Amino acid sequence: MSSPIEVVREFCALMERRDPEALRPLLANNAVYQNVGMPAFTGVDAIVENLGAQFSMFPDAYAFEIVNIAADGPVVLTERLDYIQTPNGTKPAIPVMGTFVVGDDGKITRWTDYFDLNLTIKLLQGEDISALVPSTSTT
């Protein structure tokens, strides 16, 4: 069976396909997904439907770049850069911290993302947010 980190890496890689059904096998039936500050989605069907709506909002680009990942048992923490295409065609990154809980069966039971919604709004309004995104350089 895959480790919790391997499950989360696979899930993040599948996000780039923008196919919510491809994510279904990695989600527990009673999973909970929430972007903090927004309502939670409970149950695999609700999560898959929500992700489908998100993907349709950004049909040309959607990618997760894992900058850092760590686990403590079933809990996996990710520092990510999530890329979405803006109305002007650029694909800037939004910094996101995510918490995933992976059950004993290798399925995600909880996924919570923390990000600055105002930064996302600025990006979608065409503002240059590059100075507001932390560097991922380790040097």
Side-chain angles (χ1 to χ4, degrees):
M1 181 180 297
S2 298
S3 74
I5 282 182
E6 291 169 332
V7 170
V8 171
R9 282 189 186 279
E10 180 181 359
F11 185 86
C12 290
L14 285 171
M15 287 292 289
E16 293 189 27
R17 288 179 43 190
R18 295 186 311 274
D19 175 2
E21 288 300 326
L23 300 165
R24 184 181 291 273
L26 296 176
L27 295 165
N29 286 335
N30 62 346
V32 177
Y33 163 54
Q34 184 167 21
N35 287 311
V36 171
M38 299 176 196
F41 293 87
T42 302
V44 67
D45 292 334
I47 295 169
V48 166
E49 182 179 331
N50 175 268
L51 291 174
Q54 288 185 48
F55 297 151
S56 67
M57 287 174 32
F58 307 103
D60 298 318
Y62 206 98
F64 281 10
E65 176 188 343
I66 297 173
V67 177
N68 289 296
I69 191 166
D72 185 6
V75 179
V76 179
L77 304 177
T78 60
E79 177 186 11
R80 303 190 318 262
L81 293 174
D82 291 6
Y83 295 86
I84 56 176
Q85 185 164 317
T86 63
N88 69 5
T90 61
K91 297 176 186 172
I94 297 290
V96 178
M97 295 295 294
T99 301
F100 296 82
V101 179
V102 179
D104 291 338
D105 61 357
K107 294 186 179 222
I108 296 167
T109 61
R110 182 170 64 86
W111 169 25
T112 308
D113 275 346
Y114 305 83
F115 63 97
D116 183 346
L117 183 57
N118 289 323
L119 188 63
T120 305
I121 291 168
K122 288 178 181 186
L123 178 140
L124 293 174
Q125 291 174 339
E127 291 186 40
D128 178 4
I129 64 165
S130 59
L132 306 176
V133 176
S135 169
T136 59
S137 173
T138 58
T139 58

